[in-house]
Amino acid sequence: MIINGWQKCAMFNTILLKVEKETSNNIGTGFLFVYEFENNIIPFIVINRHVIEDYKFIKAVFHKRATDLNDCFTVNSPSGSLNIDKYNYASIDMSSNEVFFHKNKAIDLAFISCNSIIKRNDLALVPFSQKMILDWENSSIPPGASLLFFGYPKELMEKTHHLPIVRTANMASLSEVDFDGKPEFLLDGVVWPGSSGSPVF
């Protein structure tokens, strides 16, 4: 099966995260992001701070590369063509990876370094780059505009192929204005635990 188009590619970029804490267990949605800097590629999982803050254990679920090319997804992403196993995935312990939080504690954003997995030949990674991130100084989204967000609300997913589900929402604030003084916007949609960290399009 051949997968074309950014919406379909995004289904394979989204990562389920399971987080064990001292007093609770969390699930969340992350997405793989590569920052390109002076010919270097720095890979991260982007997630919300509250999902992983004070973690003891983090497990991330990645798709695997296909070994049987007769039964796979062939994803044509901006970073090239990739054959992805339809039925097998890898649960990887990310607890020892470096974790970075936004310097402003009021901003609910964190990054998990993926240097340890980027060179693995068994994982199928379909990252976004900063070229795909909206430049808020030169762009805006009008109130009421339709948005998509990909994730695992209440750990709901297409389980056979370990794919996220796509939800819809509307822009509920002015994108040019920092919502409540934070560099954030508000969306109007049905969001459940597990969606935290979902990429929004």
Side-chain angles (χ1 to χ4, degrees), residues 160-178:
T160 301
H161 305 102
H162 206 277
L163 293 171
I165 63 169
V166 183
R167 311 273 303 155
T168 58
N170 295 314
M171 190 70 170
S173 63
L174 280 174
S175 60
E176 295 89 348
V177 176
D178 289 349

Side-chain angles (χ1 to χ4, degrees), residues 1-199:
M1 177 183 296
I2 297 176
I3 307 293
N4 290 309
W6 69 263
Q7 295 97 329
K8 293 180 182 179
C9 289
M11 297 289 282
F12 296 91
N13 169 276
T14 312
I15 298 164
L16 174 66
L17 289 158
K18 297 182 178 182
V19 182
E20 181 183 322
K21 299 188 178 186
E22 194 70 48
T23 58
S24 65
N25 293 328
N26 285 359
I27 59 168
T29 300
F31 60 93
L32 190 62
F33 174 82
V34 291
Y35 183 74
E36 299 175 25
F37 178 73
E38 296 180 354
N39 297 322
N40 292 313
I41 294 177
I42 306 169
F44 297 99
I45 295 172
V46 180
I47 184 70
N48 282 127
R49 174 194 291 266
H50 73 266
V51 175
I52 63 169
E53 197 165 38
D54 301 321
Y55 69 90
K56 290 177 61 181
F57 180 80
I58 303 172
K59 182 169 72 173
V61 183
F62 294 90
H63 290 279
K64 297 187 79 171
R65 288 180 184 257
T67 54
D68 181 0
L69 301 184
N70 295 314
D71 193 18
C72 68
F73 297 112
T74 299
V75 176
N76 294 318
S77 75
S79 56
S81 182
L82 186 63
N83 296 314
I84 298 177
D85 194 306
K86 282 187 175 181
Y87 306 108
N88 294 305
Y89 51 89
S91 296
I92 297 178
D93 181 359
M94 304 294 286
S95 306
S96 61
N97 292 44
E98 285 187 280
V99 174
F100 305 91
F101 296 102
H102 195 285
K103 61 183 180 182
N104 182 344
K105 289 188 176 183
I107 296 175
D108 190 15
L109 197 59
F111 310 89
I112 304 170
S113 170
C114 290
N115 287 329
S116 64
I117 64 165
I118 199 71
K119 295 178 182 177
R120 286 181 56 159
N121 293 325
D122 61 326
L123 300 181
L125 307 176
V126 185
F128 299 136
S129 76
Q130 75 265 31
K131 297 172 185 173
M132 301 175 72
I133 303 297
L134 193 62
D135 178 359
W136 289 101
E137 292 184 7
N138 299 307
S139 305
S140 67
I141 303 174
S146 296
L147 306 174
L148 302 175
F149 59 102
F150 292 59
Y152 303 91
K154 293 189 175 179
E155 217 170 330
L156 180 64
M157 70 183 85
E158 194 282 320
K159 292 181 180 177
T160 301
H161 305 102
H162 206 277
L163 293 171
I165 63 169
V166 183
R167 311 273 303 155
T168 58
N170 295 314
M171 190 70 170
S173 63
L174 280 174
S175 60
E176 295 89 348
V177 176
D178 289 349
F179 192 81
D180 278 344
K182 300 177 186 177
E184 300 174 348
F185 60 84
L186 184 69
L187 61 80
D188 179 24
V190 179
V191 182
W192 292 315
S195 295
S196 293
S198 293

